[in-house]
Amino acid sequence: MRPEHVLTMEDWGREEIHELLDKAQDFANHPSKLPSQRIYAANLFFEPSTRTKISFEAAERNLGLDLLHFEADTSSVKKGETLYDTVKTLESIGADVVVIRHGKERYFDELRNHINIPIINGGDGCGHHPTQSFLDLLTIKQEFGMFDGINVVIAGDIFHSRVARSNLEVLERLGANVFVSGPKEWMSEELMERYVPMDEAVEFADVMMMLRIQHERHAVKMVAGPQKYHEQYGLNEEKAQRMKPTSIIMHPAPINRNVEIADALVECGRSRIFKQMKNGVFVRMAVLSHVLENQQGGLLR
Amino acid sequence: MRPEHVLTMEDWGREEIHELLDKAQDFANHPSKLPSQRIYAANLFFEPSTRTKISFEAAERNLGLDLLHFEADTSSVKKGETLYDTVKTLESIGADVVVIRHGKERYFDELRNHINIPIINGGDGCGHHPTQSFLDLLTIKQEFGMFDGINVVIAGDIFHSRVARSNLEVLERLGANVFVSGPKEWMSEELMERYVPMDEAVEFADVMMMLRIQHERHAVKMVAGPQKYHEQYGLNEEKAQRMKPTSIIMHPAPINRNVEIADALVECGRSRIFKQMKNGVFVRMAVLSHVLENQQGGLLR
Amino acid sequence: MRPEHVLTMEDWGREEIHELLDKAQDFANHPSKLPSQRIYAANLFFEPSTRTKISFEAAERNLGLDLLHFEADTSSVKKGETLYDTVKTLESIGADVVVIRHGKERYFDELRNHINIPIINGGDGCGHHPTQSFLDLLTIKQEFGMFDGINVVIAGDIFHSRVARSNLEVLERLGANVFVSGPKEWMSEELMERYVPMDEAVEFADVMMMLRIQHERHAVKMVAGPQKYHEQYGLNEEKAQRMKPTSIIMHPAPINRNVEIADALVECGRSRIFKQMKNGVFVRMAVLSHVLENQQGGLLR
């Protein structure tokens, strides 16, 4: 028997059409007939990502959520559809939560009051990236049990990274002493009040948070090329040896090896870089279950 | 213990090879040993889509189907593989149903007699798009309970859109009175027999079906730019106010806001635009369960 | 009630932050609280593929594995992240096995001793492709029950295809008699020792393994255009008629129809081309369950 394809409307008779519509209406009326009550997450990533995207996906799958696979490159965004209409569409189709990464800072301002499902910010340009902050916080809390009195040095291009500044703010709010380091050319007057040279920083820091040189975001004029940067402002083996025995190294990744940090340090005993990635899954599970419980009561299985 | 990677044939001894082949043959012989009898859907989208693609995906997941993720951009189509060989491959690998959107009109003619799994047309260029028609029909039937005597005005580029013409044909077949509106330059002689100016159309239409200006499909010469188009042929607030109390507005989306339809009308009380998207999931569930029941008996869980 | 979005750190109070971190830590401490112990596979395809990618996916789903959807084009590889860091990231996030296709020959040498989850090679440039070999072997074993004394003729560009040479080596190791055919210009001295002209080959071969002309890999100078190639070195209907009644035709696909093989032969009675694709799923199930059982004991459901 040939399969019955569904190709054109001409193939469908009047009665068959009504039968199909009744079937569809039946699905519309009794969603409980579905084999299981699924919860759908849609991850809308308009910028490249490995860690954030896949770790949201792992968090969603770990919680038993199902995914609707949105791909910006093959979506109607290509036909000029707005972000708002895209998110509204996903809401209409059945997404219960959306995760969005978008190059436009505060893209969410036009969405937050009109979208009726939770939006989780997976990064807005140089703006916010709350789940990255949460995973940094979890990694520090795991290590020291608290934030009070912990010396955190954030090293790199803090000025252009609101994520870094948001991290700085929240760490201080939680009780940590936060310092900054890196090329002075990249600091504001306000940041200079907490400035310490790398040579000193490594000796008293409990946490060295190295930032990524974001070549792709803004044309940072390298003070003197990657090698010179590494020597002056990066973390090399000599400097790492002068760190306190209990101190740790963090980096959000992707890493420019031998620029911000020496290749040999990425997986050294002090490094929590891959631990941060593991923690990324756990904080995203916490964030997802937080918003879904808030919104939908017993929805989570 | 190091994991045993599988990297080259040189690493495998004669006996190990035969053991692995026996294991594979065992899977071939006893598919019932699989943890569950999965049903696979593959969505082959060769053109951008958000709504159709994601709503097929939601429909499939709602019915308990599993997905095989085909991405045209990273497939062997890039190496020149034909559509036929691609679909035959998916059939061989285990797809139980394929949904295809393709730019070529009637792409399915070369497939329908040679592929042994159901093909659901997700749009063939300017040709057919049956599940879009079904969701339009369901939305109208939900509103009025029937089609007989309902006045439907389809407004926009009907001539170049076989989908619109196919909608026109099926609505008439089901008993509706179908009219067209929009720039006269875009009408055929046959279409002109049902022509009504927008100003009149809004007053007697039960359903105003606004079409999308498909910039990406064919270089439509805008009669006089988007703003002028909106004034003359689009649906603005003034015109919407003259509609009958029970009349509704439909649009297949993506929307060109303030071209076919005023921004403020997209989510107004008369608009069924997002309702159409919801209905898209239900008709696709109906279509999928229709073809799978037809083809495979008790296959659906 | 508005949903509680998660957008910026500023929105979060000190106590709420600690609550969320505790929740995350709870997930970190008790993975057993998860609704089910999932096993994750990640398929990293840095080159176009339909068959290999989708059939790994089908094999994984058949075995009850879950997928983490890595897309090279939208990953941090675009920001310059190395293959090693990408794979290490997937390991950290929770992948239990990775399948990799990469254009660089022996890409796996830098990974094999540092990655703690099994790597399955889905093809390394012109190098190895073990699961393709296994599916070829399974197809021959199904047909003849053994390899001893079976005459296999590999026809095409063997010299530039290490996959073909690896196939040749393993077939011989298992007892088959292996010959080569095709343009002499493409043969090495060593290969010429097993050379047979196509006209003779078809008459004594039990298995005709036709290779794909890999236009995309290296600028093969066609001896005299596709049509001439087909006549001289391809398998056409006239030659197929001279094959022994029990002989079979194989091809790894994608096929250049009417170049390596006549269009009419692709689905003829002797052809095992689509059978090979089916077998691809079974050998990949065998390979996956092999590495996961080896590595993780009772992990497979």
Side-chain angles (χ1 to χ4, degrees):
Chain A
M1 189 191 75
R2 278 278 146 68
E4 190 169 331
H5 305 305
V6 177
L7 303 175
T8 74
M9 287 310 285
E10 288 92 304
D11 303 339
W12 290 73
R14 188 188 170 106
E15 203 170 325
E16 287 171 302
I17 290 175
H18 278 289
E19 272 169 29
L20 193 124
L21 293 179
D22 290 348
K23 195 166 197 166
Q25 188 56 44
D26 201 43
F27 282 123
N29 294 342
H30 306 286
S32 60
K33 280 194 184 169
L34 305 186
S36 68
Q37 179 62 34
R38 293 175 188 277
I39 309 175
Y40 291 108
N43 302 326
L44 282 63
F45 278 68
F46 294 90
E47 291 196 319
S49 165
T50 295
R51 255 157 303 285
T52 307
K53 184 163 179 244
I54 307 261
S55 95
F56 263 113
E57 201 171 312
E60 289 153 359
R61 302 299 293 136
N62 282 346
L63 290 172
L65 306 185
D66 261 292
L67 267 79
L68 296 176
H69 296 89
F70 176 85
E71 302 286 339
D73 278 353
T74 54
S75 74
S76 291
V77 171
K78 291 281 156 191
K79 304 181 196 167
E81 186 160 37
T82 62
L83 179 62
Y84 175 80
D85 282 346
T86 301
V87 177
K88 200 77 195 168
T89 295
L90 285 159
E91 181 189 330
S92 301
I93 288 173
D96 296 292
V97 56
V98 285
V99 177
I100 304 179
R101 163 169 292 191
H102 198 285
K104 190 185 158 198
E105 226 168 288
R106 301 197 70 83
Y107 68 80
F108 45 76
D109 284 340
E110 57 162 327
L111 304 177
R112 62 194 308 171
N113 296 319
H114 304 287
I115 298 296
N116 299 305
I117 51 173
I119 301 163
I120 298 176
N121 184 9
D124 58 306
C126 298
H128 306 83
H129 196 350
T131 59
Q132 176 71 41
S133 291
F134 274 124
L135 75 87
D136 290 339
L137 294 177
L138 182 62
T139 306
I140 295 170
K141 193 173 180 181
Q142 283 172 345
E143 202 69 32
F144 302 102
M146 39 140 212
F147 299 95
D148 300 278
I150 301 294
N151 295 326
V152 180
V153 179
I154 307 179
D157 185 9
I158 297 104
F159 185 65
H160 287 101
S161 165
R162 195 167 300 169
V163 178
R165 283 187 289 159
S166 157
N167 249 2
L168 187 158
E169 185 276 330
V170 75
L171 277 163
E172 196 152 70
R173 191 142 57 89
L174 295 173
N177 310 315
V178 190
F179 305 86
V180 303
S181 191
K184 287 185 182 172
E185 295 89 325
W186 292 356
M187 303 292 153
S188 63
E189 243 177 78
E190 212 188 328
L191 285 171
M192 278 308 294
E193 289 169 22
R194 358 177 137 246
Y195 188 84
V196 284
M198 270 301 278
D199 260 335
E200 292 172 34
V202 293
E203 300 199 342
F204 74 89
D206 295 300
V207 179
M208 285 297 310
M209 294 186 87
M210 309 308 297
L211 299 186
R212 170 182 169 73
I213 306 293
Q214 300 208 2
H215 302 294
E216 72 279 8
R217 285 234 188 255
H218 44 80
V220 167
K221 265 222 181 102
M222 275 296 204
V223 182
Q227 206 181 332
K228 198 86 184 171
Y229 183 93
H230 184 56
E231 273 167 44
Q232 283 194 272
Y233 308 110
L235 193 55
N236 58 24
E237 288 182 86
E238 180 273 322
K239 281 185 197 126
Q241 272 160 14
R242 288 194 282 124
M243 287 173 71
K244 294 191 286 183
T246 54
S247 296
I248 62 170
I249 299 168
M250 293 172 64
H251 189 297
I255 304 159
N256 297 305
R257 284 168 183 261
N258 295 325
V259 183
E260 304 103 50
I261 184 169
D263 187 72
L265 295 176
V266 173
E267 294 181 62
C268 73
R270 292 185 184 291
S271 168
R272 295 297 176 272
I273 298 178
F274 291 105
K275 183 81 175 292
Q276 287 173 274
M277 294 183 203
K278 277 187 214 299
N279 284 335
V281 179
F282 301 129
V283 298
R284 284 169 185 126
M285 289 173 74
V287 161
L288 282 159
S289 66
H290 167 81
V291 297
L292 288 169
E293 280 159 15
N294 258 31
Q295 171 77 350
Q296 310 189 295
L299 201 58
L300 270 194
R301 281 170 290 188
Chain B
M1 188 192 76
R2 280 279 146 68
E4 191 168 331
H5 305 304
V6 177
L7 303 174
T8 74
M9 287 311 286
E10 288 92 303
D11 304 338
W12 289 74
R14 188 187 172 106
E15 203 169 324
E16 288 170 300
I17 290 175
H18 277 289
E19 272 170 30
L20 193 123
L21 293 179
D22 289 349
K23 195 165 198 165
Q25 188 57 44
D26 201 43
F27 282 122
N29 294 342
H30 306 286
S32 59
K33 279 195 185 169
L34 305 186
S36 68
Q37 180 62 33
R38 294 177 188 277
I39 310 175
Y40 291 109
N43 302 326
L44 283 63
F45 278 68
F46 294 91
E47 291 196 319
S49 165
T50 296
R51 255 157 304 284
T52 307
K53 184 164 180 242
I54 307 260
S55 96
F56 264 113
E57 200 171 314
E60 289 153 359
R61 303 299 293 134
N62 282 346
L63 289 171
L65 306 185
D66 262 292
L67 267 79
L68 296 176
H69 296 89
F70 176 86
E71 301 285 339
D73 279 352
T74 56
S75 73
S76 290
V77 170
K78 292 279 156 193
K79 304 182 195 166
E81 187 161 35
T82 62
L83 179 61
Y84 176 80
D85 283 346
T86 301
V87 178
K88 201 77 194 169
T89 296
L90 284 160
E91 181 189 330
S92 301
I93 287 173
D96 296 292
V97 55
V98 286
V99 177
I100 305 179
R101 163 169 292 191
H102 197 286
K104 190 185 158 198
E105 227 166 288
R106 301 198 69 86
Y107 67 80
F108 45 76
D109 284 340
E110 57 162 328
L111 305 177
R112 62 194 309 172
N113 296 320
H114 304 288
I115 299 296
N116 299 305
I117 52 174
I119 302 163
I120 298 176
N121 184 9
D124 59 305
C126 298
H128 306 83
H129 195 350
T131 59
Q132 176 70 42
S133 291
F134 274 124
L135 76 87
D136 290 340
L137 294 177
L138 182 62
T139 306
I140 295 170
K141 192 172 180 182
Q142 283 173 343
E143 202 68 31
F144 303 101
M146 40 139 212
F147 299 95
D148 300 278
I150 300 295
N151 295 326
V152 179
V153 179
I154 308 179
D157 185 9
I158 297 104
F159 184 64
H160 287 100
S161 165
R162 195 167 302 170
V163 178
R165 283 186 289 159
S166 158
N167 249 1
L168 187 157
E169 184 276 330
V170 75
L171 277 163
E172 197 153 69
R173 191 144 55 92
L174 294 173
N177 310 314
V178 190
F179 306 85
V180 303
S181 191
K184 287 185 182 174
E185 296 88 324
W186 292 355
M187 303 292 152
S188 63
E189 243 176 79
E190 210 187 329
L191 285 171
M192 279 308 292
E193 288 168 23
R194 1 178 135 244
Y195 189 84
V196 282
M198 271 301 277
D199 260 335
E200 293 171 34
V202 293
E203 300 200 342
F204 74 89
D206 295 300
V207 179
M208 284 298 309
M209 294 186 88
M210 307 310 296
L211 298 186
R212 169 183 169 74
I213 305 294
Q214 300 206 2
H215 302 294
E216 72 277 8
R217 285 237 188 254
H218 44 82
V220 166
K221 265 221 183 104
M222 276 294 204
V223 181
Q227 205 179 334
K228 199 86 183 172
Y229 183 93
H230 184 56
E231 273 167 44
Q232 284 194 274
Y233 309 111
L235 193 54
N236 58 23
E237 289 181 86
E238 180 272 324
K239 281 184 198 127
Q241 272 160 14
R242 288 193 284 124
M243 288 174 69
K244 295 190 287 183
T246 53
S247 297
I248 61 170
I249 299 168
M250 293 172 63
H251 189 297
I255 304 158
N256 297 305
R257 284 168 182 259
N258 295 324
V259 182
E260 304 102 52
I261 184 169
D263 187 72
L265 295 177
V266 174
E267 295 180 63
C268 72
R270 293 185 183 291
S271 167
R272 294 297 175 272
I273 299 178
F274 291 104
K275 183 82 177 289
Q276 284 172 276
M277 294 183 202
K278 277 187 214 298
N279 284 335
V281 178
F282 302 128
V283 298
R284 285 168 185 127
M285 290 174 74
V287 160
L288 282 159
S289 66
H290 167 81
V291 296
L292 288 168
E293 280 159 15
N294 258 32
Q295 171 77 351
Q296 310 190 295
L299 201 58
L300 270 193
R301 282 170 289 189
Chain C
M1 190 192 76
R2 278 280 145 66
E4 191 169 329
H5 305 305
V6 177
L7 303 174
T8 73
M9 287 311 286
E10 288 92 304
D11 303 338
W12 288 74
R14 188 187 170 104
E15 203 170 322
E16 288 171 301
I17 290 175
H18 277 290
E19 272 170 30
L20 192 124
L21 293 179
D22 290 349
K23 195 165 198 166
Q25 188 57 45
D26 201 43
F27 282 123
N29 294 342
H30 306 286
S32 60
K33 279 194 185 169
L34 305 186
S36 68
Q37 180 62 33
R38 294 176 188 279
I39 309 175
Y40 291 109
N43 303 325
L44 281 64
F45 278 68
F46 295 90
E47 291 196 320
S49 165
T50 296
R51 257 156 303 283
T52 308
K53 184 164 180 242
I54 306 261
S55 97
F56 263 113
E57 200 171 313
E60 289 153 0
R61 302 299 293 134
N62 282 346
L63 290 171
L65 306 185
D66 261 292
L67 267 80
L68 296 176
H69 296 88
F70 177 86
E71 301 286 339
D73 278 352
T74 55
S75 74
S76 290
V77 171
K78 290 281 155 192
K79 305 182 196 168
E81 186 160 37
T82 62
L83 179 61
Y84 176 80
D85 283 346
T86 300
V87 177
K88 200 77 193 168
T89 295
L90 284 160
E91 181 189 331
S92 301
I93 288 173
D96 296 292
V97 56
V98 285
V99 177
I100 304 179
R101 164 170 292 192
H102 198 285
K104 190 185 158 197
E105 226 167 289
R106 302 197 71 83
Y107 68 81
F108 45 76
D109 284 339
E110 56 162 329
L111 305 177
R112 62 193 310 170
N113 296 320
H114 304 286
I115 298 295
N116 299 305
I117 52 173
I119 301 163
I120 298 176
N121 185 9
D124 58 306
C126 298
H128 306 83
H129 196 350
T131 59
Q132 176 71 41
S133 291
F134 274 124
L135 77 86
D136 289 340
L137 294 177
L138 182 62
T139 307
I140 296 170
K141 192 172 180 182
Q142 283 172 344
E143 202 68 31
F144 302 102
M146 40 139 212
F147 300 94
D148 301 277
I150 300 295
N151 295 327
V152 180
V153 178
I154 308 179
D157 184 9
I158 297 105
F159 184 65
H160 286 101
S161 165
R162 194 166 303 169
V163 178
R165 283 187 287 158
S166 157
N167 250 0
L168 187 158
E169 185 277 329
V170 75
L171 277 163
E172 196 152 70
R173 190 143 57 88
L174 295 174
N177 310 315
V178 190
F179 305 86
V180 303
S181 191
K184 287 186 181 171
E185 295 88 324
W186 293 355
M187 303 291 152
S188 63
E189 243 176 78
E190 211 187 328
L191 285 172
M192 279 307 293
E193 289 170 23
R194 3 178 133 243
Y195 189 84
V196 283
M198 270 302 277
D199 260 335
E200 292 172 33
V202 294
E203 299 200 342
F204 74 89
D206 295 300
V207 179
M208 285 298 309
M209 293 184 89
M210 308 309 295
L211 299 186
R212 170 183 169 71
I213 306 293
Q214 300 207 2
H215 301 294
E216 72 280 6
R217 286 236 188 254
H218 44 81
V220 166
K221 265 222 182 105
M222 275 295 203
V223 181
Q227 206 180 333
K228 199 85 184 171
Y229 183 93
H230 184 56
E231 273 167 44
Q232 283 195 273
Y233 308 110
L235 193 55
N236 58 23
E237 289 181 84
E238 180 274 322
K239 282 185 195 125
Q241 272 160 15
R242 287 193 284 124
M243 288 174 70
K244 295 191 286 183
T246 54
S247 298
I248 62 170
I249 299 168
M250 293 170 64
H251 189 296
I255 304 158
N256 297 305
R257 283 169 184 260
N258 295 324
V259 183
E260 305 102 51
I261 184 168
D263 187 71
L265 295 176
V266 173
E267 295 180 62
C268 73
R270 294 185 182 291
S271 168
R272 295 296 175 273
I273 298 178
F274 290 104
K275 184 83 176 289
Q276 286 173 274
M277 294 184 202
K278 277 188 216 296
N279 284 336
V281 178
F282 301 129
V283 298
R284 283 167 186 128
M285 289 173 74
V287 161
L288 281 159
S289 66
H290 167 80
V291 297
L292 287 169
E293 279 159 16
N294 257 32
Q295 172 77 350
Q296 311 190 294
L299 202 59
L300 268 194
R301 282 170 289 186

